[in-house]
Amino acid sequence: MNRIVLLLTLFFSLSCKAQTNIINIPERCNHLPLQTDNGSLYLKDITNIYAPYVGTWKWSSGNKEMTLVLLKQNKYHYNNNTDNYYQDRLVGYYIYKENGVVIADTSGDDLQSDFGISVYFGISCSSKVNTGVFIDVKKEKMISVGLEILSPTQMKFDGDIDQHSSYINGDKQRTLYSGSTFPLNMVFTKQ
């Protein structure tokens, strides 16, 4: 009888240790610092905060147009240096055109990568708006972007050129470009 109790206790202890610690993405700010070293943490979109953003969005003004495609990736595994955890995330790509000519197209990005993605969003601890990074591939700049759902079919895009960080183009000599390739304030319509 003692052996059975001991085996059940050992089994229960090991199974508890192997469980994943699931945190709803908006609640992660209440759990800082996050323990991310053993791969058992999962920042999950339990309340579907990313759902309204997923899809194809378009903006146009005169001869300029931009298409933004946002996708939700479930249980994406971050595993580099000291980070080892899972997270649902919002990634995507954009295509910007003027006079029908493609000026910037990031649809070839490897959306399974940790780094080098041109479009990445997450929920900020200080805001309920989806905030993220856009890389202006033409001007080689990082742009901080906030997305705000205005209605089921309208989304506000509010960008700001990041003054303290820039897109690095390998070891090549860089040209510093002024401005941005596309407007930094747009209202997209869901397609």
Side-chain angles (χ1 to χ4, degrees), residues 10-52:
L10 180 62
F11 176 74
F12 180 73
S13 297
L14 290 175
S15 66
C16 287
K17 192 127 180 114
Q19 290 179 350
T20 300
N21 184 14
I22 297 175
I23 298 172
N24 191 14
I25 289 174
E27 301 300 318
R28 82 182 191 295
C29 301
N30 299 331
H31 296 277
L32 295 175
L34 296 172
Q35 299 298 322
T36 62
D37 58 350
N38 65 3
S40 67
L41 179 66
Y42 179 15
L43 300 174
K44 184 174 176 63
D45 184 15
I46 294 169
T47 53
N48 290 317
I49 55 173
Y50 290 145

Side-chain angles (χ1 to χ4, degrees), residues 144-163:
S144 299
V145 173
L147 295 179
E148 180 182 359
I149 296 294
L150 302 175
S151 75
T153 60
Q154 301 258 281
M155 176 179 67
K156 183 179 178 184
F157 176 104
D158 189 20
D160 187 31
I161 296 172
D162 192 335
Q163 301 299 322

